[in-house]
Amino acid sequence: MHPQEYRRMLTYWKRSGFQLDRLKYLMRSASHSLPLKIGIEMSTGCNRSCVYCPVGTSERDVHRMPFPKFQSLIDELDELGFVGRLSYHRFNEPLLDQRLNKFVSYANEKLPGSKHLISTNGDYLDSETLVELCDAGMDKIIISQHYVAPEQEDEDWVQASDKRIRSIVDSADDTLANCEEIHRETDGLAVTGESNYRLEFTDRQDLVIGFRKISGNYDALTNRGGTVHVLKDEEHRGCPYFAGESADGMNIHPNGDVLLCCHQFSPDFGPVFGNVFEESIFDVWTDPEFVAVREELRNDDADRYEMCRNCKFGEFDPEAVEIDESGEITMSAD
């Protein structure tokens, strides 16, 4: 076993209270026979239309995952002894769905040791919401900062973003149950999803708040399987969403369809490997075609599907972007 996989396994096992059934799951996930990361898109709604995201350039049907269906998925994961990462976002804005805390609370209770994560644009994050997320059992919140104009100094962006999140954390501090201490992890603002603030609790795991900056010179953007065309100097470099994430994770659409990876916008934009409302998670995960595809991705062979062949890294062109007074981002006519 690779040392990194061993450390990850030990960390999750510790979080589960060293339960033996959870250790068995981790050992099986280390051999890729069970998923370690599961992305569940609760609903398809988003309040933004960013040019570097298919939500802003393509259409898809509106879906909401029924809570009883979600419960069944979590119950099955509980039976399997799941210990891993659960995220509640893909191309949606998770804070738009008022059921988020209900979903997280149920999963947190049923799956001890699992890590709960959302990536959000932050538009609906305030101190009250932060407290509710903490109470539900959220472990990590990544806030995307969606655009920095070329002429805007990074220092100005850092100060504005840091001031806002510091205000939210400070306002929530007095009402956070059993919050022992709040640490500022970095000087300024981390911009790639690392922790900026760590909230320590006496009765639960820490909550980490991090940022991801997306700007004209952010070179980790992809064209999302060819669904967005705002990138320049596009380069195909194998699987952009590095092999471990694609090969070890399961991405579930609100209608239950299992998609290839987090870059697949909807079932209409790529392959579907079964439906977890109709089949068990285990049966979908162990389907021979799905197993073969994940092995190919693990070996940096991403040519089986058109979506993979079209998926590229690049930078989006600042000259092709227009921002109105409200901050809405659109493509220029050219």
Side-chain angles (χ1 to χ4, degrees), residues 86-300:
L86 276 175
S87 57
Y88 302 83
H89 64 272
R90 280 186 356 95
F91 291 96
N92 60 318
E93 168 48 50
L95 294 182
L96 265 181
D97 196 322
Q98 297 182 355
R99 306 171 302 160
L100 174 61
N101 293 329
K102 182 179 181 180
F103 278 57
V104 176
S105 294
Y106 186 81
N108 185 52
E109 180 181 350
K110 297 285 287 188
L111 304 174
S114 296
K115 185 174 183 178
H116 304 271
L117 163 73
I118 59 167
S119 180
T120 171
N121 58 40
D123 292 347
Y124 296 94
L125 183 64
D126 54 26
S127 58
E128 181 179 354
T129 302
L130 178 59
V131 171
E132 292 172 349
L133 290 170
C134 287
D135 291 342
M138 189 63 66
D139 292 286
K140 188 169 186 178
I141 302 171
I142 299 176
I143 304 172
S144 296
Q145 297 293 319
H146 282 275
Y147 191 75
V148 179
E151 66 274 9
Q152 182 179 358
E153 294 293 335
D154 278 359
E155 183 177 353
D156 295 337
W157 171 86
V158 166
Q159 290 176 354
S161 300
D162 194 29
K163 182 178 180 181
R164 178 173 179 266
I165 191 61
R166 179 76 254 185
S167 174
I168 291 173
V169 172
D170 286 345
S171 298
D173 190 13
D174 293 336
T175 52
L176 285 170
N178 301 316
C179 183
E180 192 172 47
E181 193 168 358
I182 296 177
H183 294 282
R184 181 169 174 168
E185 296 280 288
T186 56
D187 182 15
L189 216 58
V191 294
T192 55
E194 294 93 346
S195 61
N196 297 106
Y197 295 96
R198 181 177 296 274
L199 284 61
E200 291 187 355
F201 295 84
T202 58
D203 59 346
R204 52 152 291 180
Q205 297 293 325
D206 298 349
L207 170 68
V208 169
I209 301 174
F211 285 79
R212 180 183 290 118
K213 181 177 73 170
I214 302 175
S215 63
N217 59 1
Y218 185 75
D219 65 0
L221 288 171
T222 77
N223 64 1
R224 302 293 188 172
T227 56
V228 292
H229 307 283
V230 297
L231 308 180
K232 63 178 182 179
D233 300 325
E234 294 182 351
E235 178 184 356
H236 183 69
R237 297 184 292 198
C239 181
Y241 192 48
F242 49 92
E245 289 285 348
S246 296
D248 296 336
M250 175 180 280
N251 292 271
I252 302 174
H253 187 266
N255 71 358
D257 283 344
V258 174
L259 310 182
L260 177 61
C261 74
C262 72
H263 286 303
Q264 186 174 341
F265 185 41
S266 75
D268 298 330
F269 286 76
V272 174
F273 299 94
N275 186 293
V276 291
F277 296 163
E278 301 170 359
E279 308 170 67
S280 71
I281 291 174
F282 181 81
D283 286 346
V284 172
W285 185 255
T286 55
D287 177 81
E289 182 181 0
F290 200 13
V291 171
V293 170
R294 297 197 308 272
E295 185 62 27
E296 291 170 2
L297 293 176
R298 195 174 293 112
N299 294 323
D300 201 23

Side-chain angles (χ1 to χ4, degrees), residues 22 67-82 106-107 109-111 281:
R22 310 293 166 176
F67 183 63
K69 295 289 188 182
F70 175 81
Q71 287 178 299
S72 297
L73 295 180
I74 299 303
D75 291 347
E76 183 182 350
L77 289 174
D78 180 30
E79 293 176 2
L80 289 170
F82 178 79
Y106 186 81
E109 180 181 350
K110 297 285 287 188
L111 304 174
I281 291 174

